[in-house]
Amino acid sequence: MKPSGEELELYSNKFRLELTNILSWWKDHAANKKGDGFYGAADLEGRPVLEANQSCVLNTRILWTFSAAAKNPGHAAYRDMAHRAFRVVTERFTDHEFGGFFMELTTDYLVASDIKHTYAQAFALYSLCKYHELKPSPELLNTIQTIFHLLEEKTRDKQHLGYIEAFTRDWKPVEENRMADNNEPRSMNTHLHLLEAYAALYKVWKDELVKNRLAELLDIFLNKIIRDNGHLGIFFDEEFNETESSKEICSFGHDIEGSWLLLEAAEILGDEFITSTIEIISVKMVDAVDREGMDKDGGLFLESVRSGSHIRTNKHWWLQAENLVGFMNAFELTRDNKYWETVKLSWDFIEKHVMDHKRGEWYTKVNRLGVPFLTEPEDDPSPYYRNDRKIDPWKCPYHNGRAMMELVMRIERVLNK
């Protein structure tokens, strides 16, 4: 049975409320009370870890989230957070000598890591495009255009398909510190978020080169990254052939996030053939996640390894957020009620186990039974984020905040059809 309008409105209100909770928590706990930026980390109680460095990824994701939120009716109060984040990204993280953005700064805004990940550069571009939607200006658009041309000049591989992963401060390619387990030349993750950034760019700047590059990235996903079974390949060589060790891994969070980001990019591109192709593949990707990555309680497992024979059953916060959007997207495309039921089941798991109802925000990770990890387990360390923190270089409001905004928008779209 299809969901009633009353049921959809009920869940829309739930998502609106949680969006307010997320944004309010970050407004209260992330902004540095004695400075002009943000804390680099905060513990489970929301207390700042004053010695923690500041990361480009965290700050650009704060910028994106609050820029997106401030555009919505009734959320004008979040403009100050967006403006603060914009100043930090453009004044502190920007490398005014060589271009691009530093990876990490100290609490005194000295450079702690000057490596330039294409992944982090993409997030800077993505967030500045969203801020331009909030507060457009010719100066900002010029900055955004300059970043795009810099990325094309420095990161696009002129001899091989795709984009190079990591560089020194002055843009010399490096083989260490790539966004890959074994420093492979190409990663799905970097290209997914570069796609996301170029889609956001084309939305605010209808440039022919941007259009072509966005189409190329979509083609890479269609012909190189998406496996026949609907999962995303993870790591690749310079010719974009998936490495043997990568073939044994399925990353369910990236699968479900990619299922809707790819379609969003195709819709922004405006190519009807590509869009219709990705609509079919998007549902196939969701079905692959549903078949292999979903637990019966609505939680999404981290990944499968050893060609699917082993499942890592921990449930990380960002996967649960992306799970909601991916299944909602599949429901929009098909109107098959099974996808909406999964949205509800996943939300129930999040509400019961992932949200910290006492202290606010979401736990970084819970186990299969939904028990939160409150310390970092030695036998299964998180690759980028700590369990005993609500804020850290990778723990941000972008995944869960964006998910709530997407869900509200998509439910409204369903109700108005």
Side-chain angles (χ1 to χ4, degrees):
M1 187 173 67
K2 304 294 183 185
S4 65
E6 290 79 7
E7 181 176 81
L8 289 168
E9 288 282 7
L10 172 67
Y11 276 87
S12 180
N13 289 334
K14 289 175 182 281
F15 301 141
R16 288 179 194 275
L17 176 60
E18 183 55 20
L19 175 60
T20 299
N21 291 339
I22 292 166
L23 296 173
S24 297
W25 190 94
W26 280 83
K27 187 172 183 292
D28 292 342
H29 295 89
N32 192 319
K33 303 297 189 292
K34 296 181 179 179
D36 59 355
F38 301 93
Y39 299 117
D43 66 15
L44 292 173
E45 301 291 338
R47 295 174 301 220
V49 180
L50 297 177
E51 69 275 13
N53 286 344
Q54 302 182 57
S55 81
C56 181
V57 172
L58 173 62
N59 280 268
T60 54
R61 287 175 170 185
I62 291 173
L63 173 57
W64 187 93
T65 304
F66 281 90
S67 296
K71 292 176 60 200
N72 294 327
H75 285 170
Y78 300 122
R79 294 177 73 95
D80 287 345
M81 283 284 283
H83 298 332
R84 174 188 283 244
F86 173 74
R87 290 192 297 270
V88 171
V89 170
T90 56
E91 296 174 11
R92 305 293 193 175
F93 279 92
T94 298
D95 184 346
H96 296 286
E97 182 176 355
F98 293 103
F101 301 85
F102 296 118
M103 190 66 180
E104 192 173 329
L105 302 177
T106 69
T107 56
D108 296 322
Y109 296 112
L110 300 176
V111 178
S113 172
D114 62 6
I115 192 167
K116 287 176 178 168
H117 283 288
T118 303
Y119 177 98
Q121 309 303 311
F123 263 105
L125 178 61
Y126 179 58
S127 65
L128 290 170
C129 288
K130 184 58 68 176
Y131 186 77
H132 186 268
E133 291 183 31
L134 174 66
K135 190 180 179 182
S137 73
E139 295 79 13
L140 177 55
L141 184 58
N142 182 67
T143 297
I144 289 168
Q145 293 166 345
T146 299
I147 296 167
F148 167 71
H149 288 299
L150 179 70
L151 290 178
E152 286 297 302
E153 177 190 351
K154 302 297 186 183
T155 71
R156 188 167 186 266
D157 195 327
K158 307 305 187 293
Q159 281 77 46
H160 304 95
L161 195 62
Y163 291 77
I164 299 169
E165 295 275 327
F167 303 82
T168 61
R169 181 183 177 185
D170 57 351
W171 297 102
K172 293 180 176 62
V174 294
E175 294 184 2
E176 300 81 21
N177 246 326
R178 292 168 172 161
M179 300 293 293
D181 286 355
N182 300 306
N183 286 319
E184 291 91 345
R186 298 285 187 272
S187 75
M188 167 274 296
N189 202 12
T190 291
H191 286 76
L192 180 64
H193 292 295
L194 192 62
L195 171 93
E196 178 184 52
Y198 278 17
L201 175 61
Y202 191 60
K203 189 176 178 183
V204 300
W205 181 35
K206 299 300 184 187
D207 177 75
E208 195 65 21
L209 181 59
V210 177
K211 180 180 181 180
N212 291 339
R213 293 295 183 258
L214 179 57
E216 288 174 8
L217 282 164
L218 284 166
D219 187 68
I220 288 172
F221 272 88
L222 288 172
N223 293 299
K224 293 291 185 179
I225 295 180
I226 302 172
R227 299 171 185 158
D228 291 341
N229 60 9
H231 293 292
L232 296 174
I234 312 296
F235 306 123
F236 305 82
D237 64 18
E238 288 180 332
E239 302 296 336
F240 249 109
N241 300 305
E242 189 171 8
T243 62
E244 289 303 314
S245 60
S246 173
K247 292 177 182 178
E248 298 183 355
I249 308 168
C250 289
S251 176
F252 301 127
H254 290 109
D255 289 340
I256 201 68
E257 183 182 22
S259 73
W260 71 270
L261 282 181
L262 288 165
L263 181 56
E264 178 186 67
E267 290 171 344
I268 291 171
L269 181 67
D271 185 300
E272 291 184 6
F273 176 76
I274 294 176
T275 299
S276 61
T277 301
I278 292 180
E279 284 177 347
I280 296 169
I281 292 174
S282 176
V283 175
K284 183 178 181 179
M285 293 171 71
V286 172
D287 288 342
V289 169
D290 192 24
R291 182 175 61 249
E292 300 169 34
M294 285 290 296
D295 203 354
K296 60 185 179 181
D297 60 5
L300 182 62
F301 296 134
L302 175 62
E303 63 184 10
S304 67
V305 295
R306 299 184 186 179
S307 301
S309 64
H310 288 64
I311 300 291
R312 296 184 67 189
T313 58
N314 293 334
K315 299 169 182 177
H316 296 221
W317 99 98
W318 70 270
L319 285 76
Q320 314 314 314
E322 297 298 341
N323 206 36
L324 293 168
V325 186
F327 277 89
M328 185 67 202
N329 182 58
F331 173 66
E332 277 192 282
L333 288 172
T334 64
R335 290 301 192 269
D336 189 328
N337 194 52
K338 69 179 182 181
Y339 298 115
W340 171 249
E341 290 299 317
T342 302
V343 172
K344 293 195 298 181
L345 186 64
S346 179
W347 174 252
D348 184 66
F349 177 81
I350 291 168
E351 203 169 27
K352 287 179 179 176
H353 302 293
V354 184
M355 293 180 190
D356 185 345
H357 292 284
K358 179 181 178 181
R359 296 167 293 196
E361 241 292 324
W362 294 16
Y363 292 111
T364 296
K365 183 170 68 180
V366 301
N367 68 15
R368 183 174 185 179
L369 299 179
V371 179
F373 290 92
L374 304 180
T375 58
E376 196 66 17
E378 293 183 5
D379 61 339
D380 186 22
S382 299
Y384 300 114
Y385 35 79
R386 288 175 50 161
N387 299 324
D388 55 353
R389 291 182 176 176
K390 293 282 180 64
I391 301 173
D392 78 357
W394 297 81
K395 179 69 164 60
C396 60
Y398 150 80
H399 286 288
N400 52 0
R402 182 176 68 173
M404 298 305 108
M405 288 184 264
E406 284 287 332
L407 290 162
V408 169
M409 177 194 70
R410 290 166 183 272
I411 288 175
E412 184 176 343
R413 209 154 59 190
V414 170
L415 288 171
N416 289 335
K417 279 191 176 180

